[in-house]
Each structure stands twice: as C-alpha cells, then as structure tokens.
Amino acid sequence: MKEKYYVPANAIVEAKQVEVKTEVKTPNGVMTANVGDWILIDSNKKHSIISNEIFQELYYVAQVRAKEENKFKKMLKMIKG
C-alpha cells in the first residue's frame, strides 16, 4: 500500500537549479532566472525564483532544524523507554 503524505498549501515540493538563463512564469508575471538561481515549485504548481545565496542559507537552516528534531525524537524515545 502506498503511503500518503499531507502536503501543506504552498509547501515547496521541488527545487531546480538553473543551468541556462531561463524565463519563468510566476504569480508576479514572467521573470528571468539567471544561471545558478533556483526555481521553486510549490504544491499548487506555482513557480518562484530565488538566488543561490538565499537557497543555500535556507537549506542550511533546514538541515540544522532537521538534526535538532532528530535529537529531540531520540531523547523522547529514551525517556519513554
């Protein structure tokens, strides 16, 4: 049986790094994504563009947060026995 996951509205479900300057249709109109930028696609299939620098910062924060969550879960398991 295939597992189903709840995806919150506007959650990022895909990220692609741009290799060639590209025109992207966004909710704010057609925008240009430069080489190295990231195109984010949300659960509503809407596209957004962010710079590589911002993407790297967000990715780092997400990694740190995931590590902290894992530590918390392990502590709860130890407490529960």
Side-chain angles (χ1 to χ4, degrees):
M1 187 168 121
K2 191 174 183 179
E3 289 185 50
K4 292 185 179 182
Y5 296 97
Y6 169 74
V7 179
N10 301 324
I12 302 302
V13 294
E14 188 175 350
K16 299 178 190 177
Q17 191 166 28
V18 177
E19 296 177 2
V20 178
K21 194 172 184 177
T22 307
E23 298 289 320
V24 178
K25 184 180 176 187
T26 71
N28 298 326
V30 177
M31 300 179 80
T32 302
N34 295 310
V35 175
D37 287 349
W38 287 83
I39 299 172
L40 306 179
I41 303 168
D42 70 19
S43 56
N44 296 323
K45 305 243 187 290
K46 292 183 180 172
H47 294 68
S48 302
I49 301 170
I50 62 171
S51 70
N52 187 44
E53 293 81 16
I54 292 172
F55 181 85
Q56 295 303 327
E57 286 179 32
L58 293 173
Y59 186 74
Y60 174 76
V61 169
Q63 283 182 318
V64 169
R65 191 174 187 183
K67 286 179 186 176
E68 292 299 318
E69 262 185 42
N70 284 338
K71 286 180 188 176
F72 182 70
K73 286 178 183 176
K74 285 179 184 177
M75 286 192 314
L76 282 178
K77 281 184 182 178
M78 287 175 51
I79 292 169
K80 289 180 181 178

